[in-house]
Amino acid sequence: MIRRAILIAIAWWGLSAAGMAQSVTAASLTFPVLSGRVVDEAGLLSTGDRETLTASLAELEAKTTNQLVIATLKSLQGTTIEDYGYQLGRRWKIGQKDRDTGVLLIVAPTERVVRIEVGYGLEGVLTDAMTKIIIETAILPAFRTGDFAGGIKNGAHQIIQLLGTDAGSPAQSAVRNRPPGQGTSATPVWLVIVLGMGGVGLLVYCAVAGGALCRLVMQVLILAALSGRRGSSNDRSPPFSGGGGSFGGGGSSGRW
């Protein structure tokens, strides 16, 4: 009995020590700021590459609500890309809350390793086997020739293709289930034409007839136009942020 108790105590101590070590490792890591859908800390992408990728990732989220973020890192800070990857996903909270529909494409050129980190909710779509195939066939061949931008774009394209066909996404379900004849909320074309013709007629009449009322109408229209221009020039897209998703270590890694 005493021997058994000692063995149990040793096992418990070992598990506790491992948990404490993991917590210390997590606390010692630093993570880049989530500045956008593409965080190129290692400087592997040109401005044009970042803009193109950002547009594709934004389109993916608009269509499916799935969030894919690309991150290149200067260093893994002594830990593995598997450990760093899921912790980065949790820190950034990529993916929709309660659905965990987030994916990270992580490249660490210093350690020559790449990883596709998959949130809980997409592990059935982006399986470990599928992410391994993407890494081995779409990403690593380009990386081995020094074409980091090409490998990242190839990998992102393959992931987008798979996530874009995710039949469970709310956005696609809404489109499929929309009743016949129910279009978008845009103003009908005929109404735009009628209002446009009426506005032109009013302007012509005011230009010919003159008068205080017409001058007032002209001033209102000019102010409205200027206000619209100011609003459009000052509009800014809201900063990108994760949707509250979480990760558990799903995905695959590869080296070159």
Side-chain angles (χ1 to χ4, degrees):
M1 291 294 293
I2 296 176
R3 182 179 179 182
R4 183 179 180 184
I6 293 173
L7 292 175
I8 292 174
I10 293 173
W12 179 85
W13 179 85
L15 291 174
S16 299
M20 291 175 63
Q22 185 176 12
S23 299
V24 170
T25 301
S28 65
L29 293 175
T30 60
F31 302 96
V33 176
L34 181 59
S35 56
R37 301 175 192 275
V38 179
V39 180
D40 187 22
E41 185 184 57
L44 303 181
L45 301 168
S46 67
T47 300
D49 291 331
R50 290 194 297 270
E51 292 176 349
T52 300
L53 286 166
T54 297
S56 298
L57 303 183
E59 182 180 5
L60 170 69
E61 184 176 357
K63 288 181 177 180
T64 68
T65 74
N66 299 326
Q67 287 188 327
L68 169 59
V69 173
I70 297 170
T72 73
L73 307 172
K74 292 181 179 179
S75 170
L76 293 173
Q77 304 169 43
T79 188
T80 65
I81 196 169
E82 291 81 10
D83 185 46
Y84 193 98
Y86 90 86
Q87 292 191 54
L88 180 63
R90 289 185 172 184
R91 172 64 64 91
W92 283 353
K93 301 184 184 300
I94 303 301
Q96 300 303 314
K97 187 177 182 181
D98 300 327
R99 297 182 66 234
D100 302 321
T101 52
V103 181
L104 284 170
L105 174 54
I106 306 171
V107 181
T110 301
E111 291 83 2
R112 301 176 68 86
V113 63
V114 59
R115 179 167 179 79
I116 299 175
E117 190 74 36
V118 183
Y120 288 116
L122 292 176
E123 289 180 354
V125 179
L126 282 174
T127 63
D128 292 355
M130 185 59 67
T131 54
K132 190 67 174 179
I133 290 173
I134 294 174
I135 290 173
E136 295 292 338
T137 62
I139 299 177
L140 292 185
F143 281 10
R144 292 186 179 115
T145 65
D147 184 9
F148 291 106
I152 291 171
K153 288 187 285 187
N154 291 343
H157 175 74
Q158 294 294 328
I159 296 171
I160 289 172
Q161 290 296 307
L162 287 171
L163 295 184
T165 58
D166 180 10
S169 67
Q172 291 190 2
S173 299
V175 172
R176 288 197 307 270
N177 298 329
R178 186 166 53 202
Q182 180 183 344
T184 63
S185 59
T187 305
V189 176
W190 64 267
L191 183 57
V192 174
I193 294 174
V194 170
L195 292 175
M197 292 178 63
V200 171
L202 179 60
L203 290 175
V204 171
Y205 172 79
C206 287
V208 174
L213 180 59
C214 283
R215 286 196 297 272
L216 177 61
V217 171
M218 293 291 288
Q219 289 174 0
V220 170
L221 291 176
I222 291 172
L223 289 174
L226 291 175
S227 175
R229 291 183 60 184
R230 286 195 299 269
S232 60
S233 64
N234 292 329
D235 282 346
R236 294 291 183 270
S237 299
F240 173 73
S241 64
S246 188
F247 292 75
S252 300
S253 306
R255 295 183 177 274
W256 70 91

